[in-house]
Amino acid sequence: MESESPVETKKSKSKTPKKAKESILKQKSPAEFFAENKNIAGFDNPGKCLYTTVREFVENALDSAESISELPMIEITIEEIVKSKFNSMIGLVDRERIDEALYDDYETAKAREKRLAKEARAQEIQAKNAALGKKVKEHAISKGAKSRGEASFYRVTCKDNGRGMPHDDIPNMFGRVLSGTKYGLKQTRGKFGLGAKMALIWSKMSTGLPIDISSSMRGQNYISFCRLDIDIHRNVPHIHLHEKRDNKNKWHGAEIQVVIEGNWTTYRSKILHYMRQMAVITPYAQFLFKFVSDTSDKNVTIKFARRTDVMPPVPVETKHHPSSVDILLIKRLIAETSKQNLLQFLQHEFVNIGKPLAERLIGEMGPEFSPKMAVKSLTDQQIVRIHQLFRQAKFDDPSGDCLSPAGEYNLRLGIIKELHPDMVATYSGSAQVFEGHPFIVEAGVSVGGKDVKQGLNIFRFANRIPLLFEQGGDVVTRTALKRISWNNYKINQTQDKIGVFVSIVSTKIPFKGTGKEYIGDDISEIATAVKSAIQQCCIQLKSKIVKKMQAREQQERKRNLSKYIPDATNAVYDVLKEMAKSNSSKKKRYEEGDADILRKVSDHLITKETLTEKLTQHVEKVDYEMALEYATQTGVREEPREDIYLQSLDDKDAESVICMNHDAL
Amino acid sequence: MADKKKRRRADSDSDSASQPFKNLLKSDDQILQILESFTSSFSSSSISKPLTLADLALSTTCREVSDLSLSSVQSAIESLVLQLTHQILSGQGFSFTVPSRSSSNQLYVPELDRIVLKDKSTVRPFSHISSVRKTTITAKILSLVHQLCLKNIHVTKRDLFYTDVKLFQDQIQSDAVLDDVSCMLGCTRSSLNVIAAEKGVVVGRLIFSDNGDMIDCTKMGMGGKAIPPNIDRVGDMQSDALFILLVEKDAAYIRLAEDRFYNRFPCIIVTAKGQPDVATRLFLRKMKMELKLPVLALVDSDPYGLKILSVYGCGSKNMSYDSANLTTPDIKWLGIRPSDLDKYKIPEQCRLPMTEQDIKTGKDLLEEDFVKKNPGWVEELNLMVKTKQKAEIQALSSFGFQYLSEVYLPLKLQQQDWL
């Protein structure tokens, strides 16, 4: 097609105009690409869009606060906007329907008849059931499927106490897709700096309203306010308003507000789950989540209080590991490096290459390479050679120093706080490597708790964000379901309420699929690490469970023994009675001591009650002795206590939340 | 022998294509001659009195039980109960000393060719949380057996279980304790007057008396006679059979019974439909001892077939305390043997691949003494584990349903192809 001459194109255009159109070469801006493929970034449908918007805002806010080592305090509000309010917002007058039959939800006379008949039948059945005293099932109020016009709109606001943004950078940070601060090799929650921009694109697609950003940096005496939207075709910001305002409260951070189409009804539980799990993995943050609508019974306000002020260290940016780079990346590093020669380049732009190793590598590359050669003069072939050598040579594994795991303490706190389990065990593995990227697996296993369903409850975290979708294929789910024999640890996989928490942090999380929602089961290094982390937790739990079972046995021993006394004495006495009969009738001769007993049985001097009494006394004696022995063995042991975090009272909204001391179970 | 005419001899020409090796068969008379000479040599060789435990000077003492009369069982229980009463009255609670039937307490004695129980026992005190249940059940079973002794009746294991379902919870528990009790009292389970439901059947050229009634097993119809659960009422065995054919599966048994195989080659056909129960094992042993006939076994070509064979031959671990009465020495493995699969060209679609579990069982069997003592068996089992293929007796049906009775077995007998 492209080789066709313009004349021919013109000619065919006149005949078959449709076909000719295809031959025009078009270019797409990145913003357009993402607008058309928004599912890549998790914006599949209105409901998911609302969820992802919340998620991206929260994660950006956390990253921002952590980057200045400030304990995060995040407020997220979703405000439902009904259609009339929305129309007035955009200055559209509500119009009454005149031609009813024009609309999609118009009910024809026939359909109406059918519906009424159906409703009458349903009522009849219900009345019958009620008359028979049957349990009447709560009849769901049948809501007509929302017709196409009835979209719901939400204003999502997220306010944090993070770093804030420089005044002049704000337009580009929001109005230009694929520009961002998170492109270095570093453990971050987001990766492409796409989230907030996608929310903006979605708002533009569904409501056409711009995004409002307020931001202030530490020590700045003004607040930057910016209202902008995005020019999708050119991938540039379109600024409505960009000004500096007073900063009276010395606030720093960012507040972002966007109005989008969404679906709260179907994604309510997902969003709440997300907040809850986020609170588990970041107990040092305080979240205030609000849902506001006109119908007050739908309103939700949840506060996830801060439980600790111990924050994981800020992940540091690291250099690439030689075994993880590709040719393009080598070229980019060469272009960006400030080093002059090859030796320095190898030594300084990669981890785990010292001077001696760099020299050995250069020697191995071939005669046309020398340590002193200018790195910028490398030819394409030479770069390929370097890449090949990087692939084959043996390097030390990268250290996990650049990673910032949640930490056992935080993980444990989060689990205790959100699930209130009967017991919990946590484990933090050492750093391991997958394709040149270090990763750390931490796990927690809990048993029991409130609001926990029976069986396995799996909570997955990657770089300290919860993963909620596509659980089935995930490495954690599969490991917990198939590769852990819970029975070995005295845990009942179907009966017990088991919580499995696995957090994986890495400079590169190998997500599967487009939505960044699960980690595949095909990476054996990760699968092994996950399995052993869960097992380590189970081993800790096992000893606790065994101790608990022993304690329970102690408590119930007397009852369990006494339970069998009647059966045992009956059995013995039945035989004695028969023997006594034959003894008295002189059918059989017994020795003197035995005959004495049998005589007493006949004379009712020894009865069932005598036996029962003696046996009961014995059981009591044994129980006492064993309880004493148990006590001396275990001793009076003080359970180790954990540090508590008390919220400071001078907090401006001092809560009545009192943190109780949690015994380490 | 007059019944022979009943059988319609199939036209050998038309069948030879679909039933391979049929042309190798000699006439029935010739086969009978071969068998007769074998049987007579067998019975003369086995006249010597079987060894008992007492004949051997074993380094470890072993426990064996014997048949006891009802009254001695009764007194054994009574003295035990008196002991218990003394213990209880002195305020010490009570406990039983039960011979251990765990596998660590089992010993294979090659001279006897069976498993026997060593003398280890465990104490079962009432006042311990882990044994209180079993102790109570033991006392209950003792009192129930005592009643049976007084009334001189037989009950089944199921009856026993139903006397106190709440205590026993499931029949496995009462059955296990029943074995403990026979061990403890030193008598066989049949002496306790507790029997298992009938499971085994016998058909063929055997006449015996069951509780006073004479039974002719050639006139028992197709299903044969159920093997009576109380062997002590069986007697007066007579037979003109040349061998006993032990069949693992019901299906093969029905085939042979319907074809009246025992009339073509005089024999007694027995099956316990899978794992043999006590009654069948006792019956087989009695037949073998009284009639002095060789026993040929027809089992599946898989590890479980061999395992069943071993239970008949040297006893199960669960009942090893009574192995002297339950085992039938010198059982010959007739088929289906792993080497038969290729020898008789059993088609691929009738062979099954062995599962991991099968292979593991097979390898475990190779370590067992009763297999090791027979080099032929070891060779066959090695072949099975190597080829990883198994086949049921029914695989022979691929050559026609009657191939088993008309070609395979006669040919095997003619060639004296047993191990």
Side-chain angles (χ1 to χ4, degrees):
Chain A
M1 282 290 198
E2 279 146 45
S3 63
E4 277 180 80
S5 70
V7 184
E8 271 175 339
T9 315
K10 213 175 179 185
K11 210 174 160 189
S12 61
K13 208 174 187 177
S14 57
K15 280 175 186 169
T16 52
K18 265 186 190 166
K19 209 177 177 186
K21 229 179 180 174
E22 287 172 22
S23 64
I24 295 167
L25 188 66
K26 272 190 173 179
Q27 258 193 328
K28 258 185 192 128
S29 78
E32 267 179 315
F33 173 78
F34 282 109
E36 281 166 26
N37 298 289
K38 55 187 166 45
N39 60 311
I40 290 179
F43 286 75
D44 307 41
N45 53 52
K48 187 90 183 282
C49 287
L50 181 63
Y51 164 78
T52 311
T53 303
V54 169
R55 183 184 150 168
E56 295 289 355
F57 283 178
V58 169
E59 283 158 20
N60 282 344
L62 282 172
D63 275 339
S64 169
E66 281 171 24
S67 71
I68 53 166
S69 304
E70 182 87 18
L71 288 169
M73 189 132 59
I74 292 161
E75 282 177 44
I76 186 125
T77 311
I78 302 176
E79 189 186 338
E80 193 176 44
I81 303 172
V82 293
K83 196 182 159 201
S84 56
K85 200 168 155 197
F86 174 72
N87 280 351
S88 72
M89 266 170 69
I90 58 171
L92 192 72
V93 184
D94 267 342
R95 301 253 182 229
E96 288 294 315
R97 288 182 182 187
I98 304 164
D99 183 359
E100 283 286 346
L102 182 67
Y103 295 91
D104 185 45
D105 55 354
Y106 175 72
E107 201 174 28
T108 58
K110 218 174 176 183
R112 190 182 154 81
E113 228 169 74
K114 234 179 177 174
R115 178 174 60 89
L116 287 178
K118 200 178 167 187
E119 277 172 9
R121 226 179 308 141
Q123 252 174 3
E124 210 173 284
I125 291 168
Q126 218 170 355
K128 218 187 218 167
N129 282 347
L132 287 168
K134 272 189 197 163
K135 216 173 162 186
V136 182
K137 248 195 209 165
E138 288 268 346
H139 226 297
I141 311 138
S142 53
K143 274 185 282 185
K146 256 186 194 154
S147 67
R148 278 181 285 152
E150 288 298 304
S152 324
F153 299 98
Y154 301 89
R155 175 184 287 127
V156 182
T157 313
C158 177
K159 186 178 180 184
D160 65 52
N161 59 341
R163 179 195 288 274
M165 290 159 278
H167 182 79
D168 298 327
D169 286 352
I170 295 174
N172 272 335
M173 289 179 90
F174 285 88
R176 198 189 290 273
V177 170
L178 300 183
S179 68
T181 51
K182 293 180 180 174
Y183 289 126
L185 187 68
K186 181 176 163 183
Q187 175 199 330
T188 49
R189 293 193 168 85
K191 200 80 231 186
F192 311 116
L194 202 57
K197 285 148 231 173
M198 279 307 298
L200 177 55
I201 291 175
W202 172 241
S203 88
K204 198 166 163 72
M205 288 171 84
S206 58
T207 67
L209 288 169
I211 187 170
D212 285 357
I213 304 133
S214 311
S215 157
S216 181
M217 297 182 73
R218 245 183 202 166
Q220 223 167 254
N221 57 2
Y222 59 89
I223 293 175
S224 317
F225 179 82
C226 189
R227 173 172 295 161
L228 60 92
D229 66 21
I230 186 167
D231 183 332
I232 288 183
H233 300 292
R234 286 166 46 218
N235 189 27
V236 289
H238 175 233
I239 303 165
H240 296 228
L241 189 66
H242 193 185
E243 60 181 21
K244 294 179 179 176
R245 294 177 177 176
D246 267 359
N247 187 6
K248 285 177 193 137
N249 295 330
K250 296 199 168 173
W251 168 69
H252 62 90
E255 179 173 352
I256 303 164
Q257 196 176 80
V258 66
V259 180
I260 54 167
E261 184 188 337
N263 188 340
W264 172 252
T265 336
T266 48
Y267 272 75
R268 180 181 178 273
S269 73
K270 282 285 181 197
I271 292 172
L272 294 180
H273 267 126
Y274 171 79
M275 293 306 299
R276 185 175 172 191
Q277 292 192 21
M278 195 48 127
V280 168
I281 200 74
T282 37
Y284 52 88
Q286 177 158 310
F287 298 96
L288 182 64
F289 177 83
K290 273 192 209 151
F291 177 80
V292 187
S293 74
D294 288 343
T295 43
S296 58
D297 58 330
K298 270 168 81 183
N299 287 359
V300 180
T301 304
I302 305 174
K303 180 172 180 175
F304 298 92
R306 176 174 299 136
R307 294 296 301 272
T308 173
D309 50 7
V310 179
M311 229 163 62
V314 181
V316 290
E317 190 156 347
T318 181
K319 288 176 282 189
H320 289 272
H321 189 267
S323 60
S324 70
V325 294
D326 55 39
I327 295 170
L328 264 179
L329 192 55
I330 298 176
K331 282 186 180 168
R332 208 187 81 208
L333 291 171
I334 289 173
E336 288 171 358
T337 186
S338 58
K339 304 289 175 233
Q340 295 302 313
N341 63 40
L342 183 59
L343 182 70
Q344 285 172 326
F345 171 71
L346 293 180
Q347 216 178 315
H348 291 103
E349 295 298 330
F350 298 96
V351 289
N352 295 359
I353 302 185
K355 198 175 176 200
L357 182 59
E359 279 165 351
R360 275 177 70 194
L361 284 169
I362 293 168
E364 187 68 24
M365 283 172 197
E368 70 266 40
F369 292 88
S370 73
K372 293 279 172 232
M373 70 192 293
V375 68
K376 308 257 186 200
S377 70
L378 286 170
T379 63
D380 283 358
Q381 284 89 343
Q382 287 172 321
I383 290 172
V384 171
R385 172 67 192 137
I386 293 175
H387 178 239
Q388 284 174 348
L389 189 64
F390 276 0
R391 277 292 172 85
Q392 292 158 1
K394 184 174 157 35
F395 299 96
D396 287 343
D397 285 340
S399 76
D401 296 349
C402 58
L403 297 178
S404 166
E408 265 191 89
Y409 174 76
N410 277 337
L411 188 66
R412 181 191 195 85
L413 251 173
I415 297 170
I416 292 173
K417 173 183 152 191
E418 289 308 315
L419 298 183
H420 302 281
D422 297 336
M423 44 182 113
V424 60
T426 49
Y427 175 78
S428 184
S430 55
Q432 296 189 48
V433 179
F434 136 75
E435 286 180 5
H437 293 282
F439 70 91
I440 293 178
V441 175
E442 294 167 296
V445 175
S446 70
V447 179
K450 67 170 194 192
D451 301 337
V452 188
K453 67 171 173 38
Q454 282 188 337
L456 287 173
N457 297 267
I458 289 164
F459 300 85
R460 301 172 288 143
F461 304 94
N463 278 357
R464 294 199 262 132
I465 54 173
L467 305 180
L468 264 73
F469 294 89
E470 310 203 41
Q471 171 153 305
D474 192 272
V475 58
V476 175
T477 317
R478 287 179 168 237
T479 304
L481 279 177
K482 303 216 174 97
R483 297 183 203 123
I484 304 283
S485 32
W486 296 97
N487 268 346
N488 291 355
Y489 307 104
K490 314 266 178 206
I491 299 174
N492 187 326
Q493 196 180 337
T494 49
Q495 300 283 308
D496 288 335
K497 298 171 173 176
I498 313 167
V500 177
F501 300 78
V502 176
S503 158
I504 302 172
V505 294
S506 173
T507 48
K508 186 191 174 196
I509 299 274
F511 285 114
K512 274 275 154 103
T514 52
K516 290 208 297 176
E517 286 293 0
Y518 77 104
I519 301 169
D521 196 18
D522 50 354
I523 298 153
S524 58
E525 290 94 335
I526 293 188
T528 319
V530 167
K531 185 179 170 191
S532 86
I534 298 179
Q535 278 175 333
Q536 287 299 326
C537 296
C538 290
I539 290 170
Q540 296 173 41
L541 281 183
K542 187 184 175 182
S543 62
K544 289 175 191 166
I545 293 173
V546 168
K547 259 184 218 151
K548 221 175 179 180
M549 279 161 75
Q550 277 176 350
R552 198 185 309 137
E553 195 179 279
Q554 283 298 319
Q555 281 173 356
E556 293 175 3
R557 180 180 43 228
K558 195 170 148 187
R559 198 167 59 83
N560 278 336
L561 288 179
S562 309
K563 193 164 76 180
Y564 288 102
I565 290 178
D567 278 323
T569 44
N570 271 345
V572 172
Y573 188 72
D574 282 350
V575 180
L576 280 180
K577 216 165 55 186
E578 293 296 340
M579 287 163 73
K581 256 188 229 163
S582 50
N583 184 45
S584 53
S585 60
K586 301 274 188 305
K587 263 191 202 157
K588 226 172 163 181
R589 297 197 60 103
Y590 294 92
E591 281 173 40
E592 197 38 48
D594 297 341
D596 188 41
I597 290 181
L598 294 179
R599 263 197 304 280
K600 281 183 184 164
V601 172
S602 322
D603 301 344
H604 300 291
L605 290 171
I606 294 176
T607 60
K608 211 182 282 180
E609 284 69 36
T610 332
L611 294 177
T612 310
E613 195 183 310
K614 285 282 181 189
L615 214 48
T616 312
Q617 279 170 7
H618 174 68
V619 164
E620 269 163 12
K621 200 177 108 205
V622 167
D623 180 53
Y624 177 72
E625 281 166 5
M626 291 191 67
L628 208 64
E629 197 182 324
Y630 180 77
T632 40
Q633 257 177 23
T634 50
V636 187
R637 237 190 346 204
E638 195 60 47
E639 292 280 4
R641 306 249 157 187
E642 263 175 26
D643 294 338
I644 54 163
Y645 171 74
L646 289 174
Q647 213 155 19
S648 56
L649 283 171
D650 52 78
D651 227 336
K652 67 172 183 267
D653 50 353
E655 295 295 319
S656 57
V657 181
I658 297 166
C659 304
M660 297 298 291
N661 183 4
H662 269 275
D663 283 354
L665 274 164
Chain B
M1 298 281 164
D3 292 341
K4 224 177 189 173
K5 283 172 204 148
K6 267 190 190 170
R7 285 203 66 268
R8 250 187 42 242
R9 294 301 311 270
D11 190 334
S12 54
D13 291 333
S14 64
D15 272 3
S16 56
S18 60
Q19 298 193 332
F21 307 109
K22 187 156 189 182
N23 44 6
L24 288 181
L25 270 182
K26 293 179 187 169
S27 76
D28 284 3
D29 292 329
Q30 278 171 296
I31 300 176
L32 278 175
Q33 262 176 14
I34 295 170
L35 281 175
E36 269 159 20
S37 66
F38 169 70
T39 307
S40 58
S41 71
F42 175 83
S43 50
S44 59
S45 70
S46 65
I47 278 173
S48 62
K49 191 176 160 287
L51 282 170
T52 63
L53 255 186
D55 301 334
L56 300 166
L58 287 179
S59 53
T60 47
T61 39
C62 295
R63 191 185 300 272
E64 273 202 305
V65 297
S66 50
D67 277 314
L68 289 183
S69 67
L70 264 191
S71 60
S72 38
V73 171
Q74 189 186 339
S75 6
I77 294 176
E78 287 177 353
S79 64
L80 194 57
V81 167
L82 281 169
Q83 247 177 43
L84 299 184
T85 316
H86 282 298
Q87 284 178 31
I88 294 173
L89 290 177
S90 66
Q92 297 163 355
F94 69 96
S95 65
F96 294 104
T97 307
V98 186
S100 159
R101 291 187 293 121
S102 69
S103 56
S104 62
N105 200 30
Q106 315 272 358
L107 182 73
Y108 174 80
V109 184
E111 293 89 337
L112 301 172
D113 185 23
R114 57 184 165 86
I115 304 171
V116 295
L117 200 61
K118 291 193 275 188
D119 65 341
K120 208 170 79 187
S121 1
T122 46
V123 178
R124 205 176 267 181
F126 177 80
S127 53
H128 199 280
I129 202 77
S130 60
S131 57
V132 59
R133 236 186 95 66
K134 270 203 158 162
T135 311
T136 312
I137 294 177
T138 313
K140 180 79 188 174
I141 296 273
L142 275 175
S143 118
L144 288 171
V145 172
H146 187 248
Q147 276 180 39
L148 295 181
C149 295
L150 288 174
K151 295 185 179 133
N152 191 15
I153 49 166
H154 287 84
V155 297
T156 63
K157 295 203 288 193
R158 191 80 184 153
D159 280 328
L160 210 59
F161 164 65
Y162 265 106
T163 54
D164 196 341
V165 181
K166 215 177 132 205
L167 176 64
F168 297 143
Q169 283 176 1
D170 72 64
Q171 204 190 323
I172 296 167
Q173 301 191 27
S174 63
D175 287 359
V177 170
L178 190 68
D179 283 327
D180 286 338
V181 166
S182 27
C183 238
M184 216 160 59
L185 300 177
C187 63
T188 60
R189 201 174 71 196
S190 359
S191 338
L192 297 179
N193 273 12
V194 181
I195 53 180
E198 297 168 347
K199 190 173 171 215
V201 275
V202 58
V203 76
R205 304 177 82 97
L206 174 72
I207 296 170
F208 68 95
S209 66
D210 177 12
N211 212 7
D213 301 336
M214 289 310 287
I215 309 282
D216 183 351
C217 292
T218 55
K219 300 190 170 58
M220 294 305 296
M222 217 185 88
K225 161 84 176 115
I227 292 174
N230 28 355
I231 196 76
D232 45 335
R233 298 189 185 172
V234 170
D236 311 320
M237 283 187 172
Q238 299 164 32
S239 172
D240 64 347
L242 293 175
F243 59 95
I244 299 168
L245 187 61
L246 188 64
V247 183
E248 177 186 343
K249 290 273 188 68
D250 202 23
Y253 170 86
I254 289 172
R255 177 82 275 114
L256 294 171
E258 191 182 48
D259 288 354
R260 297 199 188 258
F261 185 76
Y262 48 83
N263 283 339
R264 185 168 164 197
F265 304 101
C267 64
I268 304 165
I269 304 170
V270 185
T271 183
K273 302 170 188 170
Q275 275 291 351
D277 55 339
V278 170
T280 311
R281 282 151 69 184
L282 285 169
F283 192 78
L284 183 69
R285 181 183 165 84
K286 199 175 172 83
M287 277 199 295
K288 158 115 182 163
M289 290 304 151
E290 293 194 358
L291 305 173
K292 307 235 175 332
L293 291 175
V295 181
L296 305 178
L298 182 64
V299 295
D300 285 346
S301 170
D302 60 21
Y304 310 103
L306 200 58
K307 221 160 182 175
I308 286 172
L309 200 55
S310 83
V311 171
Y312 280 115
C314 37
S316 64
K317 287 187 172 157
N318 196 33
M319 299 287 287
S320 57
Y321 61 88
D322 194 18
S323 62
N325 294 318
L326 290 173
T327 56
T328 313
D330 200 22
I331 297 179
K332 304 289 186 202
W333 189 6
L334 183 70
I336 310 273
R337 297 204 307 270
S339 60
D340 290 351
L341 297 186
D342 285 334
K343 206 153 130 196
Y344 290 88
K345 299 209 170 64
I346 292 177
E348 280 296 325
Q349 68 264 25
C350 300
R351 307 181 190 186
L352 295 168
M354 286 167 79
T355 63
E356 290 286 317
Q357 186 60 41
D358 290 342
I359 294 169
K360 193 181 167 294
T361 316
K363 284 185 178 155
D364 289 349
L365 272 180
L366 275 171
E367 301 298 312
E368 298 277 353
D369 298 313
F370 72 88
V371 176
K372 279 198 209 152
K373 65 141 206 272
N374 196 329
W377 289 20
V378 175
E379 208 174 290
E380 292 284 354
L381 199 55
N382 270 326
L383 183 69
M384 188 195 305
V385 175
K386 212 180 89 199
T387 58
K388 294 183 179 158
Q389 279 183 329
K390 59 180 182 180
E392 300 190 1
I393 306 174
Q394 277 70 47
L396 294 171
S397 303
S398 59
F399 302 120
F401 290 117
Q402 290 179 307
Y403 184 76
L404 172 70
S405 53
E406 290 190 351
V407 181
Y408 180 78
L409 281 181
L411 197 60
K412 278 263 175 188
L413 294 174
Q414 174 190 317
Q415 296 171 343
Q416 302 202 22
D417 185 14
W418 51 70
L419 290 173

